[in-house]
Amino acid sequence: MENLIKPVQDETTTIKTFIKNLGVDLVGVTRLEPYKEMIMGINTDRDEFFQRYQNAIVLGCHLKDKPAIEMNLFMERAAFEVMTYLEDKGKNVLIIHPEDEYDPVKRLGLISLKALARGAGLGWQGRSLLIISPQIGPIYRCIGLLTDMELTPDESMPNHCGDCTQCIDKCPHHALKYVRFEDHPASREDVLDVRACRGDKGCNVCLAVCPWIKNLN
Ligand code: SF4
Ligand code: SF4
């Protein structure tokens, strides 16, 4: 039994080390099976899709003392490096980019990166809807890669927001609403007024006020 499991664990360790050596702060793995019924931003043949990709690798980074565009380019380059690594091994790969909007009205990507990040154990989903990592605080940027490479999944973690409501109280556009949830809210709209939020215009207040934020620059 041990011999059957070990190669998968070794491959997982190797790819995680490769990603960390690129300078990425966090990396985790989740199986895609639990997301089969999830709302997706595009109508697709789900059976075919989930046969083609069985795992997601999720990369996350801290907000560094660098322009956002530089951080975004850094994460894109890292994802392309990982894609090349996997393709060189003959694997199927699809990058899940945070700015891909397949449904621009509902602002939905192909598959929720935050759900993947939660599943991959990068952190819990805070009241700001950001993923909060105990190591680095709110994750500034996630990018995902779906693949058929066999990998060992990470474990998700419980919510540690406790009684804190800083992100809601300090949001300058009153875009966040207090909703009790443990793993994730029933819907994003229950918590976030997408039209009021200025996250796409560079607002980072909910990230900056989170007590879990760490200065890692
Ligand atoms: S990004 Fe800004 S506007 Fe959007 S929820 Fe956070 S603090 Fe509010
Ligand atoms: S600011 Fe507080 S409530 Fe908001 S995500 Fe961070 S810990 Fe959770």
Side-chain angles (χ1 to χ4, degrees):
M1 187 68 182
E2 199 179 315
N3 284 346
L4 287 175
I5 294 169
K6 203 163 183 289
V8 177
Q9 287 176 331
D10 286 349
E11 193 64 85
T12 308
T13 306
T14 306
I15 195 160
K16 283 182 169 178
T17 305
F18 174 81
I19 293 168
K20 288 280 187 156
N21 286 342
L22 295 172
V24 174
D25 294 320
L26 296 171
V27 55
V29 171
T30 186
R31 293 217 190 288
L32 284 177
E33 173 76 26
Y35 305 96
K36 271 187 163 175
E37 305 304 323
M38 173 181 269
I39 295 170
M40 294 171 80
I42 193 170
N43 277 334
T44 188
D45 183 328
R46 288 183 183 237
D47 288 339
E48 197 184 307
F49 185 86
F50 288 99
Q51 264 166 26
R52 193 166 168 76
Y53 309 105
Q54 287 97 45
N55 287 304
I57 304 169
V58 189
L59 283 53
C61 76
H62 181 253
L63 177 66
K64 307 239 181 339
D65 190 15
K66 287 183 185 149
I69 190 154
E70 224 177 280
M71 284 309 302
N72 297 342
L73 282 171
F74 164 75
M75 290 298 278
E76 278 170 15
R77 278 194 213 106
F80 277 109
E81 293 266 3
V82 183
M83 183 173 76
T84 307
Y85 175 101
L86 293 166
E87 283 181 342
D88 284 350
K89 290 180 180 289
K91 299 300 176 188
N92 297 327
V93 194
L94 179 67
I95 291 180
I96 304 295
H97 192 286
E99 281 172 13
D100 282 342
E101 278 188 353
Y102 290 81
D103 182 340
V105 178
K106 295 183 187 151
R107 292 181 60 182
L108 289 174
L110 179 64
I111 186 164
S112 166
L113 252 178
K114 285 186 177 150
L116 296 179
R118 278 197 320 265
L122 264 60
W124 70 90
Q125 190 153 27
R127 296 200 169 102
S128 57
L129 297 187
L130 292 166
I131 303 299
I132 316 296
S133 151
Q135 290 101 43
I136 67 171
I139 297 177
Y140 167 67
R141 193 81 167 170
C142 278
I143 199 159
L145 295 105
L146 311 188
T147 181
D148 58 342
M149 179 178 265
E150 265 195 78
L151 295 166
T152 306
D154 289 285
E155 283 187 20
S156 55
M157 64 180 74
N159 191 303
H160 292 292
C161 281
D163 295 331
C164 178
T165 54
Q166 283 294 306
C167 50
I168 299 168
D169 301 343
K170 302 278 170 58
C171 172
H173 301 284
H174 309 288
L176 290 167
K177 197 162 83 183
Y178 181 90
V179 174
R180 249 181 201 287
F181 63 88
E182 178 55 34
D183 184 52
H184 61 92
S187 87
R188 178 185 60 181
E189 286 66 27
D190 288 349
V191 176
L192 180 71
D193 181 342
V194 176
R195 284 196 279 190
C197 175
R198 292 289 175 273
D200 58 343
K201 303 278 187 301
C203 177
N204 268 330
V205 172
C206 52
L207 183 149
V209 299
C210 181
W212 287 87
I213 197 163
K214 311 268 194 312
N215 186 357
L216 302 176
N217 294 308

